[in-house]
Amino acid sequence: IQCNPGLTALAREAIGDRFLDDIEAIRDLDTFAGDSAFREKFAGVKRANKARLANLVAERLGIKVDPSALFDIQIKRIHEYKRQLLNILEAVALYDQIRSHPERDWMPRVKFFGGKAALSYHNAKLIIKLANDVAKVINRDPAVRGLLKVVFVPNYNVSLAEIMIPAADLSEQISTAGMEASGTGNMKFALNGALTIGTLDGANVEMRDHVGADNIVIFGMTADEVARVRSETPNPRATIENSRELSQALAAIASGVFSPDDRNRFAGLVDGIYTHDWFMVAADFDSYTRAQREVDAIWSETERWYSKTIRNTARMGWFSSDRSIRQYAKEIWRAG
């Protein structure tokens, strides 16, 4: 209601005010997923929110982004298990593919990152540096023709989240399966009309159950599969060598393509993937890139895209604190 007044007004126009006090009533929007006039209004709200974020990025960072591009957003604490590194590697691989195959019909995309690292978390700080270094190279390359941009938005906080979350087309929830306790960012994105790409981890599992498997893009290993692979002493090098896109992306980062002032800056990050890949970045990479091309295919069909994102908004009421407390009162506290 506070951070997305456009969507709030549209929902009130369509289904009345009951959802303002009982968020589960927002389910009534579900019937509008097949309504072309409502889809256009929903898309218009999203476009206005994206323009607001584009203006902020232009003012603060001097980076121009096109609100008609797919806004792909990952904002959360920087941590290896949350796998911002996987997202950056996919950006590098996509950059290479766009340059190698300019004849293909690429979907314009802006990858946004935001989040903070713990003071002494060396690798997390390196990941932030890598995101910024990759952004500098990609955003300045005329060969990409604006088809891909990367933006790390600094000083992430709640006020910034209130602008970024309503602007998201795609929500990145890509933690290593079995390592995310729950998280609520994924719920906020979906409620505000984003499609989720994610692993079966944390609350993504319940989100898939509630929004429907057709309205979320799931990839990668399950928690059981991650545990099994770790126990079998995996050989990440073989996995990397079997993936041309991944091996090329890692080679580019390791050779200093994105850090010409210090060609060894990211050697430790790359070496960690080659030697143990504890967070399954290499193991899940090909599955993740396939999922991203599935996202492109959905994005290319506007009506299909907004039907899915409307259903995400409509089906998120179950995740409210009101429902949680009622269930606790009944099943745990037995409070009448």
Side-chain angles (χ1 to χ4, degrees), residues 105-131:
D105 188 19
W106 299 104
M107 294 293 106
R109 181 185 292 239
V110 183
K111 280 183 174 281
F112 292 90
F113 295 87
K116 295 179 180 179
L119 195 62
S120 59
Y121 195 165
H122 177 72
N123 277 3
K125 291 187 173 185
L126 269 182
I127 290 168
I128 293 173
K129 182 62 175 171
L130 176 61

Side-chain angles (χ1 to χ4, degrees), residues 107-185:
M107 294 293 106
R109 181 185 292 239
V110 183
K111 280 183 174 281
F112 292 90
F113 295 87
K116 295 179 180 179
L119 195 62
S120 59
Y121 195 165
H122 177 72
N123 277 3
K125 291 187 173 185
L126 269 182
I127 290 168
I128 293 173
K129 182 62 175 171
L130 176 61
N132 280 281
D133 282 353
V134 167
K136 287 177 185 176
V137 172
I138 293 177
N139 296 349
R140 294 173 181 174
D141 190 342
V144 181
R145 309 183 311 284
L147 291 171
L148 177 64
K149 287 196 173 182
V150 178
V151 181
F152 189 98
V153 186
N155 300 320
Y156 179 64
N157 56 23
V158 172
S159 296
L160 193 53
E162 289 178 337
I163 295 174
M164 295 185 74
I165 290 173
D169 293 307
L170 184 68
S171 164
E172 297 270 355
Q173 307 297 331
I174 59 175
S175 54
T176 310
M179 299 195 73
E180 183 72 80
S182 176
T184 57

Side-chain angles (χ1 to χ4, degrees), residues 83 176-179 200-201 220-234 276-280 283-284:
R83 298 201 295 190
T176 310
M179 299 195 73
L200 281 178
D201 195 33
M221 291 184 288
T222 64
D224 288 344
E225 288 169 336
V226 168
R228 177 180 54 78
V229 169
R230 282 176 176 165
S231 70
E232 292 174 353
T233 314
H276 56 78
D277 193 31
W278 181 255
F279 299 100
M280 301 291 139
D284 272 349

